[in-house]
Amino acid sequence: MKKHDIYIDWELPGQNPYKPLLTRVITAVLDKEGVDIPCGVDVLLTTDQGIREINREQREVDAVTDVLSFPMLDLTPGTPPTGEGEDELDPETGLCHLGDMVLSVERAKEQAAEFGHSVQREVAYLAVHSVLHLLGYDHLDEGPQKAQMRGREEAILEGLGVTRDQWNDELDKPLEQALPEEVPVRRCGMITLCGRPNVGKSTLTNALVGEKVAIVSSKPQTTRNRICGVLTRGESQFVFLDTPGLHRSANRLGDYMVDVVKKSVADVDAVLLLVEPIPNVGGPERELIERVKALNAPCILIINKIDTVEKGTLLTVMDAYRKAHDFTAILLISAKRQEGLEELLDLLEGFLPEGPPLFPRDAVTDQPERQICGEILREKLLYCLDKEVPHGTAVEVTKFSERENGIIDLDATIYCEKASHKGIIIGKQGAMLKKISSMARADIERFMGAKVYLETWVKVKEQWRDNLNLIRSLGFDSRD
């Protein structure tokens, strides 16, 4: 994974000429400020009218400004985030999302002409200025605060070789390397990931695919549907089926989830049984092993989360599972740290039968875009409401449309089971719902590669998890 995830959206005609420049400048600011954990920054390059609309919406100011900054964290200048504070790290990506910046390219061009320097220099200055805001710097007074921020700006720009009279051409060089020649896919196979809740199936699916196609949280039973993740590399295409955790059902939604697990083990080329490094074979694992034995399918035992235990414990875990089943192979991995994944893919390649691909080379999932967007919103609900609201929430995307300029309008309804839960989700003066929506929008924009306007509502549907019609209307239908 890249050290920093810098997502840049472009709302003007033609191609974006400033992406390499902004990527390098933003990275330089983070490095100069001592940020040594992976961070996310979302950038929107827009018109004067675009930034005016955002000023109206977010600040209730009818004005065109050169740049806007929307920090996600309350940081102290000169004290970078550590990832240890509350809500600092995304549990799936491991990124610390610093916030959003919006820059008017039209205004930058006007100011460059006024100051008598290049547009690139002006864009670089505005980017440095905005990222420092995200890191806690401000200029609310004309004294020490402003002087501190201005000093940092000039020091960073000079370090980049950028002054009013000098420009560093290296900043504009293309970022991407030439892509290797594409080879035809000759092998393709389906691989099921199964295991009890919260063993890391979705984290592993995302890590293997290289994109977030399945949501994750620290709470069990996060995945409700069978999710298909696709990885094409070289002549091989892997189709991973991420399933809900096998658990004891407590309602009709739970019945559906258990049924999905049992059906997903059949008719695949290999099965990955994910377990935690605990030297005991539990009931869910034994049940899945029995189903695999009946199918006579290759089964690989994946011991995940090896970074959480001493190495000596792993030998005991392996011995316990060897007694339960003659696995095709046993691998030790950490999906979160992406350790052992190359060895896993090399092994799985041997189980792929010869045949054409099931998906286009650039596909990462079979899920509709609107479904992924709804799941991303549900993930943020689980993350932000960790211990306050149980799994009695669902998300329905009621509007998903794209404007001529590429902006996506997304409306979503959040269902909960109690009126008291609705109040918690909305929060005081709407603060919690705004936080959830903001986090979801940032991830959705990364996935869609476009600007997104997200509107969310919260409705109460008592005992919806036992309402068969509502469950089916939300996409949880096990009927063939």
Side-chain angles (χ1 to χ4, degrees):
M1 185 177 65
K2 296 175 292 186
K3 182 178 179 183
H4 301 301
D5 182 13
I6 300 168
Y7 173 74
I8 302 174
D9 196 10
W10 175 258
E11 286 191 338
L12 288 86
Q15 297 295 314
N16 176 9
Y18 306 111
K19 184 173 182 178
L21 164 63
L22 285 167
T23 302
R24 292 188 173 102
V25 168
I26 292 171
T27 300
V29 179
L30 299 178
D31 290 345
K32 292 288 186 182
E33 289 298 303
V35 179
D36 56 6
I37 62 172
C39 288
V41 177
D42 286 356
V43 184
L44 172 63
L45 299 178
T46 187
T47 61
D48 283 354
Q49 182 59 32
I51 206 164
R52 182 191 293 274
E53 291 177 2
I54 293 172
N55 267 315
R56 288 172 179 164
E57 178 185 334
Q58 300 293 332
R59 303 173 62 225
E60 298 182 354
V61 174
D62 186 12
V64 174
T65 50
D66 50 13
V67 68
L68 292 172
S69 305
F70 298 98
M72 288 290 292
L73 304 175
D74 185 15
L75 299 174
T76 301
T79 305
T82 62
E84 298 176 358
E86 184 179 1
D87 297 342
E88 279 196 4
L89 289 187
D90 184 299
E92 159 59 13
T93 64
L95 287 172
C96 173
H97 187 64
L98 295 176
D100 303 351
M101 56 180 283
V102 184
L103 190 152
S104 169
V105 176
E106 293 175 345
R107 187 64 179 269
K109 290 179 178 179
E110 292 173 6
Q111 292 179 173
E114 291 174 10
F115 291 122
H117 56 235
S118 68
V119 178
Q120 286 94 331
R121 195 276 175 196
E122 186 66 19
V123 169
Y125 167 74
L126 293 175
V128 172
H129 183 86
S130 184
V131 178
L132 288 177
H133 273 308
L134 300 184
L135 293 173
Y137 289 86
D138 216 329
H139 47 78
L140 298 177
D141 59 32
E142 293 296 326
Q145 278 190 329
K146 187 171 183 176
Q148 181 189 31
M149 187 170 183
R150 180 57 57 86
R152 292 305 300 149
E153 290 167 353
E154 294 302 328
I156 292 168
L157 288 167
E158 287 179 11
L160 287 167
V162 177
T163 66
R164 295 194 185 278
D165 303 318
Q166 179 183 356
W167 177 252
N168 180 1
D169 292 331
E170 295 292 319
L171 297 175
D172 282 324
K173 287 187 176 180
L175 293 169
E176 294 80 11
Q177 301 294 323
L179 296 175
E181 184 178 350
E182 188 172 297
V183 295
V185 173
R186 303 184 189 278
R187 295 184 297 273
C188 179
M190 302 185 73
I191 301 152
T192 282
L193 287 76
C194 60
R196 69 168 65 218
N198 210 30
V199 294
K201 298 183 295 296
S202 296
T203 301
L204 178 57
T205 300
N206 293 337
L208 290 170
V209 172
E211 295 280 353
K212 179 182 282 191
V213 297
I215 68 170
V216 299
S217 82
S218 58
K219 303 180 76 172
Q221 301 169 35
T222 298
T223 301
R224 289 173 173 169
N225 263 315
R226 185 177 71 177
I227 293 170
C228 176
V230 183
L231 170 65
T232 305
R233 68 171 194 172
E235 298 181 343
S236 302
Q237 184 172 93
F238 306 81
V239 181
F240 298 103
L241 304 179
D242 176 22
T243 63
L246 189 60
H247 62 285
R248 190 179 301 278
S249 171
N251 48 52
R252 286 187 171 180
L253 176 61
D255 294 340
Y256 163 80
M257 292 162 65
V258 171
D259 191 48
V260 166
V261 179
K262 293 178 178 178
K263 288 182 177 179
S264 297
V265 178
D267 300 323
V268 294
D269 298 294
V271 176
L272 303 183
L273 175 60
L274 262 73
V275 301
E276 293 187 332
I278 300 172
N280 175 55
V281 183
E285 287 80 13
R286 292 188 183 278
E287 182 175 347
L288 286 167
I289 288 172
E290 290 305 313
R291 296 189 68 84
V292 170
K293 285 180 179 178
L295 294 168
N296 198 28
C299 184
I300 301 169
L301 178 69
I302 305 294
I303 303 176
N304 191 21
K305 306 182 183 180
I306 60 171
D307 53 304
T308 64
V309 297
E310 298 291 334
K311 289 185 178 180
T313 305
L314 297 174
L315 295 175
T316 310
V317 178
M318 294 167 69
D319 287 341
Y321 277 93
R322 283 195 183 103
K323 294 176 183 177
H325 181 59
D326 183 17
F327 290 97
T328 307
I330 299 177
L331 290 184
L332 308 176
I333 72 163
S334 171
K336 186 174 183 180
R337 294 190 178 184
Q338 302 193 13
E339 296 174 2
L341 302 192
E342 283 300 318
E343 293 86 346
L344 174 57
L345 289 172
D346 289 342
L347 177 63
L348 291 176
E349 203 160 19
F351 296 110
L352 302 183
E354 291 188 2
L358 297 174
F359 297 92
R361 178 172 284 274
D362 59 351
V364 294
T365 184
D366 65 342
Q367 297 179 88
E369 290 175 336
R370 66 187 297 149
Q371 180 178 336
I372 294 178
C373 293
E375 284 291 274
I376 289 173
L377 178 57
R378 188 166 68 87
E379 177 188 61
K380 303 313 176 188
L381 282 163
L382 292 171
Y383 177 63
C384 292
L385 306 171
D386 185 37
K387 295 180 181 178
E388 298 176 46
V389 177
H391 277 275
T393 56
V395 174
E396 180 182 17
V397 175
T398 55
K399 179 182 179 182
F400 187 94
S401 61
E402 184 175 351
R403 305 181 195 175
E404 290 184 1
N405 61 3
I407 295 176
I408 294 171
D409 291 303
L410 186 64
D411 292 356
T413 300
I414 299 167
Y415 294 105
C416 59
E417 292 186 312
K418 298 180 181 179
S420 59
H421 291 169
K422 179 178 179 179
I424 292 171
I425 294 170
I426 294 174
K428 186 176 181 180
Q429 297 180 337
M432 179 56 72
L433 184 59
K434 183 177 180 180
K435 177 182 177 181
I436 291 167
S437 300
S438 178
M439 294 177 69
R441 179 187 57 77
D443 270 13
I444 292 170
E445 287 185 339
R446 279 194 187 88
F447 176 77
M448 296 299 300
K451 179 70 177 175
V452 173
Y453 284 108
L454 174 63
E455 295 284 346
T456 52
W457 290 267
V458 183
K459 293 184 179 180
V460 178
K461 290 281 186 180
E462 294 185 0
Q463 297 183 334
W464 69 265
R465 285 180 290 179
D466 275 316
N467 184 326
L468 193 57
N469 290 330
L470 184 56
I471 289 172
R472 287 173 174 168
S473 72
L474 290 171
F476 307 118
D477 194 346
S478 61
R479 296 174 297 180
D480 292 329

